[in-house]
Amino acid sequence: MGQNKFLDKLDKVLSPIGAKIGSQRHLNAISTGMMMTLPLIVVGSLFLIIANPPINPELVDVNNTNIFIKFLLSWKEFAVNNYATITAPFDMTMGLLGLMSAFSIAYKLASDYKMNASMSGLISTSLFFMICAPSNEGNIPMSFLGADGLFVAIIIGIISVEISRFVDKMEWKFNLPSSVPSAVAGFMNTLIPLMLNIIILYGINVIIIANTGMNLPQSIMNILTPALNVADNLWGYLALITFGNILWLFGVNGTSIIFPIVFTLGLSNTGINSELVTSGKDPNVIMNLQMFRIAILGGAGNTLGLALLMAKSKSTHLKSLGRLSIVPGICGINEPIIFGGPIVFNPILAIPFILTPIISVSLTYFAQKIGVITCGYIVDPSFTPFFAQAYLSSMDIRNVVFTFMLVLISIFMYYPFFKIYERNMLRKESEENKIEDDFNFDEFDLA
């Protein structure tokens, strides 16, 4: 009874905020536009897992292994030798997330405005290419076509449609005689908004390059990347992780921005711990690579607990998404949850998304400090199941048990907020089903 009262109070506070944000035209276009890319994100994530088998050959004695370990070693050798081929589906799906979002966001916003959605999407896409991936001697750089370019894709998708809408409002059109075919007239009247978009958006990019030597996405990344020495203590580390997760809430890949800092720090300190172990001492440097693995346990925001909750949801959308997201989440890939839930621009799920990693990292820090778990002293493979990473980083089964405890904590952290969001989704699905039923009923009467 008490739990229901708590959920009701939380619902009254958060649901109106969520409804207001969800009904805002531009934020809805961002959310729905990114949802359109969800199938590509999920499939691409699976190929990334295949390319990164859960084993570190340096830690295995080839002459004293069982058949399962030999299989993993063979898989690892195949993956290393054919990495580019295996990850090609990832590169052409998740690796193009920014590009696809530039089209889908503009398409959705233009549809809401009753504009030419397809042409708006193409204008946004062409501008995104101009700004984020200018051709150099026939080669197109991929750096900002994926998640790193998503923030720019959102900006271009929204502003390009607003510029085209402004042209429509001002009625800047070619007045062609009625004898001109509609296809020709449509082509002619697309030229003005396209040219104005190029002048304004690409012009801003040119000005930035002329003054900084960097294009728009590079400038944004440069501004967002904080200093290295901030992360070498618990409070600085928590601030950095929180900063990255806040960026995710706005559609920016916060992990990729903080990654050079936390990974470099973690790698260095893990190396120090490794030297201590080699010399017969206990590893004692706490800010090691294991801390970063915990910060993204199940992906940014520690969303594995959320995926497990979703898998049992009464909402059709949340249940399907949760079941699709569990396997990638176990391997630390959670873009399906972030963009499919979505968590982006979602004030309800944003709260546990920010708080859960803070709790997980803090508990890991003190658990290492008092010796409940072993400090990481081995560089474990990326995109490996979280429990395998926990063991490979420390060769201590206690670390594995500890990570399962953190997943359980994430379930409790997300639960009340998930229940509120689930209620809202069930209301929405019920309304949509009612509309469909009414439509079918009316159609039956007309027949």
Side-chain angles (χ1 to χ4, degrees):
M1 187 73 179
Q3 185 188 63
N4 288 334
K5 285 184 178 179
F6 172 72
L7 289 177
D8 288 339
K9 287 181 181 179
L10 210 56
D11 192 5
K12 287 179 182 178
V13 174
L14 295 177
S15 290
I17 300 172
K20 192 169 184 179
I21 290 177
S23 62
Q24 205 284 325
R25 189 188 301 270
H26 298 93
L27 296 180
N28 184 50
I30 294 169
S31 174
T32 307
M34 289 191 295
M35 271 289 294
M36 292 169 67
T37 68
L38 183 59
L40 297 163
I41 293 172
V42 172
V43 172
S45 300
L46 295 177
F47 281 91
L48 192 61
I49 295 171
I50 293 170
N52 292 274
I55 190 167
N56 187 343
E58 295 178 3
L59 303 179
V60 177
D61 182 1
V62 181
N63 299 316
N64 187 24
T65 58
N66 57 42
I67 190 169
F68 178 68
I69 298 298
K70 287 180 179 178
F71 165 73
L72 289 178
L73 288 170
S74 298
W75 177 9
K76 182 70 174 181
E77 183 180 2
F78 175 79
V80 170
N81 293 335
N82 300 276
Y83 193 80
T85 303
I86 298 171
T87 56
F90 172 82
D91 293 336
M92 295 298 109
T93 51
M94 265 298 297
L96 298 178
L97 178 62
L99 176 64
M100 294 183 295
S101 297
F103 177 89
S104 60
I105 291 169
Y107 182 95
K108 180 61 176 65
L109 182 59
S111 297
D112 288 347
Y113 280 135
K114 309 299 181 187
M115 296 166 57
N116 188 330
S118 298
M119 184 53 64
S120 296
L122 290 174
I123 290 173
S124 176
T125 303
S126 64
L127 281 160
F128 182 81
F129 258 125
M130 288 179 209
I131 293 171
C132 293
S135 176
N136 183 15
E137 297 181 358
N139 297 316
I140 296 177
M142 298 284 292
S143 304
F144 294 106
L145 293 184
D148 285 349
L150 185 58
F151 189 60
V152 179
I154 292 171
I155 294 172
I156 292 173
I158 297 296
I159 295 179
S160 64
V161 172
E162 291 297 342
I163 291 172
S164 298
R165 183 165 170 256
F166 175 77
V167 172
D168 282 350
K169 275 188 171 183
M170 299 301 293
E171 297 186 351
W172 292 348
K173 297 180 179 179
F174 292 102
N175 294 317
L176 301 172
S178 58
S179 58
V180 176
S182 58
V184 175
F187 157 73
M188 292 293 292
N189 286 320
T190 302
L191 298 178
I192 296 175
L194 174 58
M195 185 59 70
L196 191 60
N197 266 293
I198 292 173
I199 290 171
I200 294 174
L201 291 173
Y202 188 66
I204 291 172
N205 186 57
V206 170
I207 292 170
I208 291 173
I209 292 172
N211 285 278
T212 67
M214 298 178 290
N215 61 16
L216 178 60
Q218 289 171 329
S219 299
I220 290 173
M221 287 295 182
N222 194 49
I223 291 169
L224 293 176
T225 302
L228 177 61
N229 57 8
V230 171
D232 204 9
N233 63 82
L234 177 60
W235 301 113
Y237 201 89
L238 290 175
L240 200 58
I241 295 297
T242 303
F243 171 71
N245 289 334
I246 289 172
L247 292 179
W248 271 116
L249 297 176
F250 293 94
V252 181
N253 188 338
T255 305
S256 70
I257 292 173
I258 67 171
F259 178 80
I261 300 169
V262 292
F263 189 77
T264 301
L265 175 71
L267 205 62
S268 174
N269 287 343
T270 301
I272 295 172
N273 281 339
S274 181
E275 291 174 3
L276 289 170
V277 172
T278 303
S279 63
K281 299 176 182 178
D282 292 330
N284 57 27
V285 182
I286 296 176
M287 308 308 296
N288 54 73
L289 191 58
Q290 184 172 229
M291 291 286 281
F292 178 57
R293 301 302 193 202
I294 294 299
I296 56 169
L297 176 62
N302 290 175
T303 55
L304 183 54
L306 177 61
L308 293 170
L309 289 169
M310 283 184 173
K312 294 290 185 179
S313 175
K314 296 176 183 177
S315 162
T316 304
H317 170 72
L318 295 180
K319 179 188 279 189
S320 301
L321 181 62
R323 292 180 177 180
L324 279 171
S325 303
I326 288 175
V327 173
I330 288 172
C331 297
I333 299 168
N334 70 336
E335 280 83 357
I337 288 283
I338 289 177
F339 300 121
I343 290 176
V344 174
F345 292 111
N346 187 330
I348 297 173
L349 296 180
I351 296 172
F353 187 82
I354 295 294
L355 294 179
T356 307
I358 293 174
I359 292 172
S360 296
V361 169
S362 299
L363 288 173
T364 304
Y365 177 88
F366 290 110
Q368 290 183 111
K369 193 173 183 65
I370 65 177
V372 173
I373 62 174
T374 302
C375 290
Y377 63 91
I378 300 169
V379 178
D380 55 273
S382 299
F383 305 110
T384 299
F386 70 91
F387 46 85
Q389 279 184 336
Y391 184 73
L392 292 173
S393 67
S394 60
M395 306 305 287
D396 188 343
I397 195 67
R398 294 180 303 167
N399 291 47
V400 179
V401 175
F402 182 77
T403 57
F404 275 105
M405 184 196 74
L406 293 179
V407 173
L408 188 62
I409 288 173
S410 76
I411 292 174
F412 283 107
M413 287 295 297
Y414 273 99
Y415 179 77
F417 303 94
F418 162 74
K419 294 303 290 184
I420 293 169
Y421 191 58
E422 183 186 45
R423 285 184 190 179
N424 293 338
M425 289 297 296
L426 287 170
R427 290 188 201 117
K428 183 178 178 182
E429 289 174 5
S430 177
E431 289 170 3
E432 289 174 351
N433 290 335
K434 186 177 184 303
I435 290 170
E436 288 179 7
D437 291 342
D438 290 345
F439 174 78
N440 292 333
F441 181 76
D442 293 342
E443 188 178 38
F444 178 78
D445 280 351
L446 288 171

